[in-house]
Amino acid sequence: MALRVYSAAPRNSMVQNFPVLGVAEKQLFVGGDCPQLVMKRRLRLSAGVRCSLDVAAQSAEVGKVTAVTKDTFWPIVKAAGDKTVVVDMYTQWCGPCKIIAPRYQELSEKYNDVLFLKLDCNDENKPLAKELGIKVVPTFKILKDSKIVKEVTGAKIDNLIHAIDSVRST
């Protein structure tokens, strides 16, 4: 998590009960939640405070696959607005996930009006995977206006293409 600040803080200090994890290029890395307005008030900065989640939401682009985490998923989906969003839920150890990954990348290059994300369903992202109802991997969720509208389970590329096309046409 990064907050932009105009002065550096010592590496092992605290900023309003948030541990400082490091400082680099006028960014102060702190642990904990990042409620922008609250932090802006607490740090008494009139400008320059920016939550790293906002940066993540801006960095997701069509034409490529963007890796997300439990912290960046919803900000990116909400920032997509009415664009179609496809999310690949996978794990590092899953054979079918590894096989379909290059095909998923090809789809991201083919559909320039669709945002493609991938979520590693590891222990860190388990709460989000549970929230999204993931029971098997790979699972692909297709969202429109921040709502799940289609789901494809398994490494079935033809089913995924059909699902994407049907959501795009609505």
Side-chain angles (χ1 to χ4, degrees):
M1 172 141 345
L3 298 175
R4 290 203 184 278
V5 294
Y6 295 103
S7 63
R11 182 157 171 59
N12 292 321
S13 63
M14 300 283 282
V15 176
Q16 291 292 330
N17 298 325
F18 290 90
V20 174
L21 304 177
V23 177
E25 296 182 38
K26 295 186 180 178
Q27 286 191 355
L28 174 67
F29 295 90
V30 298
D33 292 330
C34 181
Q36 249 181 311
L37 297 175
V38 173
M39 289 307 296
K40 190 181 283 190
R41 208 173 325 117
R42 286 183 180 169
L43 291 175
R44 295 185 185 164
L45 296 174
S46 59
V49 176
R50 186 168 198 169
C51 182
S52 61
L53 301 182
D54 296 334
V55 175
Q58 294 171 355
S59 68
E61 299 175 26
V62 294
K64 70 175 194 171
V65 178
T66 304
V68 294
T69 66
K70 65 179 172 48
D71 296 324
T72 60
F73 176 76
W74 286 114
I76 289 173
V77 168
K78 288 177 181 163
D82 63 348
K83 279 186 192 161
T84 302
V85 178
V86 182
V87 188
D88 173 13
M89 279 44 145
Y90 71 100
T91 60
Q92 296 292 328
W93 49 263
C94 169
C97 299
K98 291 176 184 178
I99 291 170
I100 200 167
R103 300 290 309 276
Y104 187 69
Q105 177 65 42
E106 289 171 11
L107 289 179
S108 73
E109 295 164 4
K110 176 183 174 188
Y111 293 101
N112 290 324
D113 59 336
V114 177
L115 187 61
F116 287 82
L117 308 176
K118 64 179 182 176
L119 175 73
D120 186 353
C121 295
N122 56 22
D123 287 340
E124 182 183 323
N125 295 319
K126 197 173 194 174
L128 178 59
K130 207 172 201 178
E131 176 186 341
L132 296 172
I134 305 304
K135 297 195 184 341
V136 299
V137 290
T139 293
F140 300 91
K141 299 276 186 175
I142 303 175
L143 297 93
K144 190 87 165 181
D145 296 316
S146 300
K147 294 182 180 99
I148 297 169
V149 293
K150 291 266 186 196
E151 176 181 303
V152 176
T153 58
K156 302 170 189 157
I157 196 72
D158 293 335
N159 292 2
L160 179 58
I161 292 169
H162 177 71
I164 293 169
D165 288 340
S166 69
V167 171
R168 287 175 65 226
S169 65
T170 57

